[in-house]
Amino acid sequence: MRPFAYFERLSQAFHDYPSLSKILVVSTISGGGLIVYSEANPSYSNNGVETKTRKRKVVLLGTGWAGASFLKTLNNSSYEVQVISPRNYFAFTPLLPSVTCGTVEARSVVEPIRNIARKNVEMSFLEAECFKIDPGSKKVYCRSKQGVNSKGKKEFDVDYDYLVIATGAQSNTFNIPGVEENCHFLKEVEDAQRIRSTVIDSFEKASLPGLNEQERKRMLHFVVVGGGPTGVEFASELHDFVNEDLVKLYPKAKNLVQITLLEAADHILTMFDKRITEFAEEKFTRDGIDVKLGSMVVKVNDKEISAKTKAGEVSTIPYGMIVWSTGIGTRPVIKDFMKQIGQGNRRALATDEWLRVEGCDNIYALGDCATINQRKVMEDIAAIFKKADKENSGTLTMKEFHEVMSDICDRYPQVELYLKSKGMHGITDLLKQAQAENGSNKSVELDIEELKSALCQVDSQVKLLPATGQVAAQQGTYLAKCFDRMEVCEKNPEGPIRIRGEGRHRFRPFRYRHLGQFAPLGGEQTAAQLPGDWVSIGHSSQWLWYSVYASKQVSWRTRVLVVSDWMRRFIFGRDSSRI
């Protein structure tokens, strides 16, 4: 019984003297070595009762790419996460065009958001829509999707310590008359399901007796507005659905179906390599998809769409269904919030390089609803020179310059991009080029004018990040890792030096890494553009597309469901049931 009495006395000592919890205790019991070490340091009130440290509350708005990535990566139990979104799932949006035609089922591309968070993070979910953000009182005001709460109210508010805005964006109609009322959009799973039902409805209506051929052609005329990746992929999927499956079931409709793609620019897929753009346009022409370039929609009614060419000619096209995919716009709640914080004239929330909303310390924004306001080197050139000139001599030695340039490259990513675009190996090459252009051979020291001359062109590489799931996912992962290390980095900052202040930034700024992009073109052919100017088009790229999209699913459940849907389509074809 003696060892147990020893443990009782030891436990009482730790309770009476909490500082002993850091002491290493070594003893020998029954001839065996026993080592006891405790890192716990619980808080005690004045009366000796242990109290729990309050968890910091993180409110996450949205369950899209950015929100789901943040939730999946966050791994710090000191946070309490409250997720608020109108939908209780994450949707793999790159496969939405496949859902519209039954290549993949809707439930195969969604994962319940409660399954995504790590088990050691306290997470709760509210199915509601945020309609107001109040940074002054640190509250968000929400409207329940389920009607009323326990007190009979539809609306409620939620407090936060940190707010992460990842609400995404909505389709941009450019205020064109009739678009909102008559067009389908392709942003959500529900949109894809509605499009699928409308396609089947069009074929069923065209099969009814008593219709003339002109009316049947109108019903089977499908118009896609927007030549970006989503519009092109949907047109490709629809073409394959019609020619591989529906014409077998509706043989009389074979010669009546028409697909038209309207694009206001001079080419489709303008964000891709020129080789891909040319191949896509040629393939669409071979497949019978009518691509009208330089056509800007000016009006839409329930049966016709009007488009204007660059020459000013307006043509009217009868249609059965329109899918609108022309870009994104700001959600109303974000517009209101931007007005509150003095950003009312912007298209998206402006954040710094650490994804923190400008003017708000504890509010972060990521994904399609935000854009990084990258500072320019030339705006800070005087402060950079002053920071590097430690001796206040008015000139920089090469040693002083190199000491600060690694931090400058971290703080201003455009410097590294500019060096790569010019084929330079380092900042020394940039200095040599500037000195050669100025006719100077001096290499020991440089003054502020020579520094300006060397860096004057780097800001040309400042570019806005594309509004893609790839960017949003990387931002969510980055921010979650910052939250995980927040306490550590408060004490030991790991970011670059502060150009206009003392010390260092807590974290390294966000840096987007482009991993490539795909454009499925139908007929089991895909265009792939990967880093290093690597372009591949054809059937081999299609199998690469299958592999990448299967691996990018957020769970094994959705991975198995998507692959099985692809196999089912290969064996049995696409399902044309309207359910």
Side-chain angles (χ1 to χ4, degrees), residues 68-80:
S69 180
F70 175 85
L71 200 58
K72 187 177 182 180
T73 308
L74 188 66
N75 191 25
N76 190 329
S77 59
S78 66
Y79 295 107
E80 172 195 354

Side-chain angles (χ1 to χ4, degrees), residues 73 219 324 365 372 408 458 483 504 512 517 544 561:
T73 308
M219 291 180 177
W324 188 270
I372 296 176
I408 298 305
V458 297
F483 271 63
R504 290 183 170 271
Y512 170 60
Q517 52 190 350
L544 178 62
L561 288 174

Side-chain angles (χ1 to χ4, degrees), residues 171-197:
S171 297
N172 194 348
T173 65
F174 301 98
N175 296 320
I176 297 174
V179 172
E180 192 79 38
E181 298 81 6
N182 300 294
C183 296
H184 289 272
F185 304 103
L186 192 48
K187 291 286 292 178
E188 308 286 348
V189 173
E190 294 82 0
D191 296 333
Q193 291 175 314
R194 281 191 290 267
I195 291 172
R196 182 175 177 179
S197 295

Side-chain angles (χ1 to χ4, degrees), residues 72 81 90 132 147 151 160 172 225 258 264 310 339 345 370 384 420 430 448 464 499 538 567:
K72 187 177 182 180
V81 183
F90 163 77
K132 183 183 177 182
K151 296 181 180 180
Y160 66 82
N172 194 348
V225 182
Q258 183 179 357
K310 290 187 176 181
K339 291 178 181 177
N345 59 343
I384 292 172
K420 287 182 179 179
L430 188 62
I448 190 170
L464 295 178
I499 299 299
M567 294 175 63

